[in-house]
Amino acid sequence: MKMPSVVNFDELIKNPEIINWEAHNTLGRNGARIATLYHCEKTAQKISIVQCQPGARADCHIHDGHETFLILDGCFTDDFGTYRKGDFVIYEPGSKHAWSSDEGALICAIWGGKTRAE
């Protein structure tokens, strides 16, 4: 039996370097990095931590499945509003948006399908 993955958000907020990061620069993203906790190639389901540096942004993109995210720290803005620490945001399949983070943010993101350029 495979052991579960465990991430303590309190520890992660204090020290983001406790996980392994990769560049998050597809679909016009810049200034962000990602740590993938779970990914199913068949269904494109994915759970990740995204760290946005101050000034990070992404071009408009479409989510074929749902996108759900929890702001762990900082501030994140998209076409629909500004989200702060503790905000839990749920987008239905087919949603589209661009985003930015002027002050930086740490986000737990869950995707239920592929993401593509607009």
Side-chain angles (χ1 to χ4, degrees), residues 2-81:
K2 190 172 180 177
M3 296 290 293
S5 297
V6 177
V7 176
N8 183 293
F9 289 158
D10 287 336
E11 291 300 319
L12 182 63
I13 291 166
K14 293 175 195 169
N15 181 13
E17 301 311 315
I18 64 173
I19 58 177
N20 296 320
W21 296 99
E22 297 177 13
H24 192 42
N25 55 12
T26 59
L27 300 174
R29 294 180 189 101
N30 64 61
R33 59 186 186 165
I34 190 168
T36 301
L37 305 176
Y38 172 81
H39 186 211
C40 176
E41 291 288 335
K42 183 178 179 181
T43 63
Q45 293 181 27
K46 190 173 187 177
I47 302 170
S48 299
I49 304 297
V50 177
Q51 185 179 44
C52 303
Q53 299 301 318
R57 56 189 64 259
D59 294 341
C60 192
H61 52 278
I62 299 170
H63 294 274
D64 291 336
H66 70 84
E67 178 184 31
T68 304
F69 57 87
L70 171 64
I71 306 298
L72 302 172
D73 200 24
C75 184
F76 180 88
T77 300
D78 69 9
D79 301 326
F80 303 98

Side-chain angles (χ1 to χ4, degrees), residues 83-97:
Y83 314 106
R84 302 190 179 284
K85 183 176 182 175
D87 286 342
F88 187 69
V89 182
I90 303 165
Y91 285 101
E92 293 184 11
S95 66
K96 67 179 183 175
H97 63 139

